[in-house]
Amino acid sequence: MNDYEIMLLLDPELSEERGNEIIQRLRDSVEGAKGSWDGHEPWGRRRLTYEIDHKSEAIYHLLLFTAPTETLTEITRVLKITDGVVRHSAYRRVKGSTHTKAPAQIAAPAATPAQAMSDSARRDDDTDGTAE
């Protein structure tokens, strides 16, 4: 038996009930294989670094469990074909790790006055409407 964590990204348009069904199915798989469900940390809706399937946000969940390797293989297979799963990634947990809380969201950096003037100068310089 190994300790695992799965970072699960769900479609933001997915109903909450459907998201809970997906997580419950994973939990049933773990417990059915004589594993233990160690926790579920919903991290909430977060902005993606880049768009995936024309979506810029996803709902993040951190799933913690202990199970045999075969169970992880089956869970990964099921997640690949489940509608509503944007991405998932499974990792072996570091022994003694207590890191389960979501990191703080980083605010978008504000434009500096120099950048604002530079952008303004570029727009003023473009007299014929083409970006050359």
Side-chain angles (χ1 to χ4, degrees):
M1 296 271 210
N2 295 314
D3 293 336
Y4 295 107
E5 62 184 41
I6 292 180
M7 179 56 68
L8 180 65
L9 280 65
L10 298 177
D11 188 331
E13 297 171 3
L14 196 66
S15 70
E16 188 174 337
E17 294 80 30
R18 178 66 181 133
N20 290 336
E21 286 174 20
I22 293 169
I23 293 168
Q24 186 60 46
R25 183 174 179 187
L26 299 178
R27 184 175 186 159
D28 292 344
S29 294
V30 168
E31 291 172 346
K34 307 293 186 248
S36 67
W37 186 260
D38 301 330
H40 166 224
E41 278 292 324
W43 285 13
R45 184 182 295 254
R46 294 179 160 284
R47 184 163 198 76
L48 298 171
T49 303
Y50 55 90
E51 284 191 2
I52 301 173
D53 295 331
H54 304 290
K55 296 186 183 350
S56 60
E57 292 183 333
I59 301 172
Y60 285 62
H61 294 271
L62 180 64
L63 311 175
L64 307 166
F65 60 93
T66 303
T69 305
E70 300 81 28
T71 304
L72 179 66
T73 304
E74 176 62 14
I75 287 173
T76 302
R77 185 191 70 77
V78 168
L79 287 173
K80 285 180 183 178
I81 61 174
T82 302
D83 290 335
V85 174
V86 176
R87 284 281 192 279
H88 72 279
S89 192
Y91 305 97
R92 283 194 60 184
R93 256 189 296 167
V94 177
K95 296 282 185 205
S97 173
T98 59
H99 184 337
T100 60
K101 298 294 180 205
Q105 290 195 13
I106 300 171
T112 63
Q115 288 174 329
M117 289 187 65
S118 173
D119 291 342
S120 173
R122 262 189 245 125
R123 280 192 303 264
D124 293 342
D125 187 41
D126 189 18
T127 57
D128 63 354
T130 60
E132 295 177 4

